Amino acid sequence: MRILFIGGTGTISQAITRKLVADGEEVILVNRGNRNGEFEGKVKQITVKDVNDEEEFSSAIRKFLDNQGAGTGEKFFDSVCDFIGFHKEQIERDVRIFKGNTKQFMYISSASAYHKPVKDYVITEGTSLANPYWQYSRDKIECEDYLMEEYKKDGFPVTIIRPSHTYDERSVPLGVHGKNGSYQVIKRMMEGKPVIIHGDGTSLWRMTFNEDFAKGFTGLIGNPHAIGESFHITNEETLTWNQIYETIAKVLGVELKPYYVSSDFLASCSDYDFTGSLIGDKSNSVVFDNSKLHRAVPGLAMNIRFEEGIRRTIGYVLGHEECQSEDPEFDAWCDTVIENLEEAKKRINRGRNA
């Protein structure tokens, strides 16, 4: 198959590109060309400095098609996927450029688009979409709505993909972290300091290693049962946040010292977007029903358990200094939150005992 990715080297897309290349598929990446080292000589490249510049983007695609000898009206691509489309105007641009040029258009949305607060902890593709807490999710919903209208109106061959918490070897997935990623939390664990866990750590969650995600995604490429449909792709293992943090500590070989703080409190006393990322996403208990995906991709086995995936991740992060981005501002904020809550407990207890 001939597959074009807008993006192609991110957490999710890198694993998919890697699998398709290994499977012998023809892959074309549209990006700035800054992170294609692993795929040098293995994929075709369309370099676009700014994909949001429609004239530049469209011109680059036309030039590529001309060089490939694509005929007028020919659906040259078997599948096109946009991994970096966050706003409706970007998706409108994609439709204008690729309508008539592809047999399938795959859009990466987000499982955070599902209704918040949750109506039922079991999530299916039929669960309604609404998220008043996170603009990111509302923008994804708007993109989905537009694409489905294009499918209903003109038969634009869309497939919508909703990833949940997908991670790779370069960053440890966590609930509460700073702007520089999760390494500072890992550092706190290794230093024996308490780490903040939202809520009481008992809400349910899914963690998906990007290699597993790639198995489900590639099974939907060129799949006639995927056209006009939406799918979430997640691992089958359900964990509490306590289990997630305990597993990370176990792999690090340290004692976990959890400090529990409500998501609402965290959102109210920081500049971090915990209203969106926690209240609009990770603080909710969710269990994804993947039946629809398995019907479309028979024999799919997403079997990388969190302990296996996180061993790979921590081994990689600790062995690569470029993955160890410290965040002293977040570290100090954690200490401040914990110190003030402990002082509040003391004041309340003094009042009770007076």
Side-chain angles (χ1 to χ4, degrees), residues 1-5 8 12-29 38-39 42-43 78-81 83 104 106 211 213-222:
M1 290 188 292
R2 186 180 291 120
I3 302 153
L4 181 141
F5 287 164
I12 290 175
S13 56
Q14 185 176 56
I16 299 168
T17 302
R18 191 178 292 142
K19 183 174 184 342
L20 290 171
V21 168
D23 291 345
E25 305 292 357
E26 181 182 349
V27 180
I28 304 106
L29 302 185
E38 176 186 350
F39 305 117
K42 300 176 182 178
V43 302
D78 291 289
S79 186
V80 170
C81 179
F83 292 95
Q104 179 186 39
M106 303 180 78
E211 285 183 21
F213 185 93
K215 298 172 189 174
F217 186 94
T218 55
L220 295 172
I221 295 177

Side-chain angles (χ1 to χ4, degrees), residues 343-354:
E343 182 58 35
K345 291 176 187 176
K346 291 176 184 178
R347 288 200 303 270
I348 292 170
N349 284 327
R350 284 197 295 268
R352 288 172 56 214
N353 298 326

Side-chain angles (χ1 to χ4, degrees), residues 278-351:
L278 293 181
I279 300 173
D281 195 25
K282 298 178 182 68
S283 68
N284 297 269
S285 278
V286 290
V287 175
F288 294 94
D289 180 346
N290 289 322
S291 300
K292 183 177 180 180
L293 176 65
H294 285 282
R295 287 195 299 271
V297 188
L300 174 64
M302 300 178 67
N303 50 15
I304 300 177
R305 293 190 306 111
F306 183 64
E307 184 167 350
E308 177 188 347
I310 209 64
R311 280 190 187 281
R312 295 196 213 175
T313 300
I314 288 175
Y316 188 92
V317 168
L318 296 184
H320 292 77
E321 289 187 6
E322 68 272 16
C323 297
Q324 300 169 20
S325 298
E326 296 194 19
D327 193 340
E329 179 181 317
F330 174 74
D331 195 49
W333 176 81
C334 289
D335 290 337
T336 298
V337 169
I338 293 169
E339 289 167 6
N340 279 275
L341 285 175
E342 287 301 302
E343 182 58 35
K345 291 176 187 176
K346 291 176 184 178
R347 288 200 303 270
I348 292 170
N349 284 327
R350 284 197 295 268

Side-chain angles (χ1 to χ4, degrees), residues 105-294:
F105 180 85
M106 303 180 78
Y107 174 61
I108 301 295
S109 183
S110 170
S112 67
Y114 288 120
H115 201 286
K116 305 296 184 306
V118 293
K119 296 179 177 180
D120 189 324
Y121 76 97
V122 177
I123 304 295
T124 73
E125 286 83 356
T127 299
S128 58
L129 306 181
N131 193 328
Y133 306 106
W134 208 359
Q135 185 62 47
Y136 164 81
S137 305
R138 293 195 294 276
D139 289 340
K140 290 289 189 179
I141 293 169
E142 185 178 27
C143 292
E144 286 198 30
D145 288 344
Y146 168 73
L147 286 167
M148 289 309 297
E149 281 302 311
E150 286 297 305
Y151 169 70
K152 294 172 186 175
K153 181 178 65 176
D154 293 327
F156 187 69
V158 64
T159 298
I160 291 169
I161 307 296
R162 300 182 187 128
S164 184
H165 205 153
T166 306
Y167 67 105
D168 66 2
E169 72 279 4
R170 296 173 291 187
S171 180
V172 177
L174 290 168
V176 180
H177 59 77
K179 297 174 183 177
N180 288 352
S182 60
Y183 178 72
Q184 192 66 47
V185 181
I186 304 308
K187 190 169 186 285
R188 287 180 69 88
M189 286 187 181
M190 294 189 293
E191 292 173 347
K193 299 176 73 173
V195 296
I196 294 174
I197 299 177
H198 59 278
D200 62 2
T202 60
S203 57
L204 304 175
W205 199 244
R206 290 270 178 93
M207 291 289 191
T208 306
F209 198 66
N210 66 348
E211 285 183 21
D212 261 353
F213 185 93
K215 298 172 189 174
F217 186 94
T218 55
L220 295 172
I221 295 177
N223 188 327
H225 301 291
I227 304 301
E229 299 290 342
S230 59
F231 299 86
H232 47 241
I233 302 176
T234 76
N235 195 282
E236 302 290 350
E237 181 184 27
T238 302
L239 302 164
T240 66
W241 281 99
N242 283 330
Q243 290 174 312
I244 290 167
Y245 278 81
E246 286 162 2
T247 301
I248 293 169
K250 176 184 175 182
V251 172
L252 287 169
V254 300
E255 177 189 358
L256 175 65
K257 296 180 179 179
Y259 195 89
Y260 299 107
V261 185
S262 78
S263 297
D264 182 69
F265 185 88
L266 292 171
S268 68
C269 66
S270 80
D271 293 328
Y272 306 112
D273 184 17
F274 291 137
T275 299
S277 66
L278 293 181
I279 300 173
D281 195 25
K282 298 178 182 68
S283 68
N284 297 269
S285 278
V286 290
V287 175
F288 294 94
D289 180 346
N290 289 322
S291 300
K292 183 177 180 180
L293 176 65
H294 285 282

Side-chain angles (χ1 to χ4, degrees), residues 2-73:
R2 186 180 291 120
I3 302 153
L4 181 141
F5 287 164
I6 305 168
T9 58
T11 297
I12 290 175
S13 56
Q14 185 176 56
I16 299 168
T17 302
R18 191 178 292 142
K19 183 174 184 342
L20 290 171
V21 168
D23 291 345
E25 305 292 357
E26 181 182 349
V27 180
I28 304 106
L29 302 185
V30 178
N31 55 35
R32 292 190 297 269
N34 297 333
R35 291 181 57 188
N36 294 339
E38 176 186 350
F39 305 117
E40 197 71 39
K42 300 176 182 178
V43 302
K44 293 179 179 178
Q45 171 71 38
I46 301 176
T47 301
V48 178
K49 292 181 181 179
D50 181 7
V51 294
N52 293 314
D53 182 335
E54 184 170 344
E55 184 176 348
E56 179 192 5
F57 188 9
S58 180
S59 176
I61 296 297
R62 285 197 306 272
K63 182 178 179 181
F64 176 82
L65 292 173
D66 288 343
N67 289 339
Q68 298 297 311
T72 304

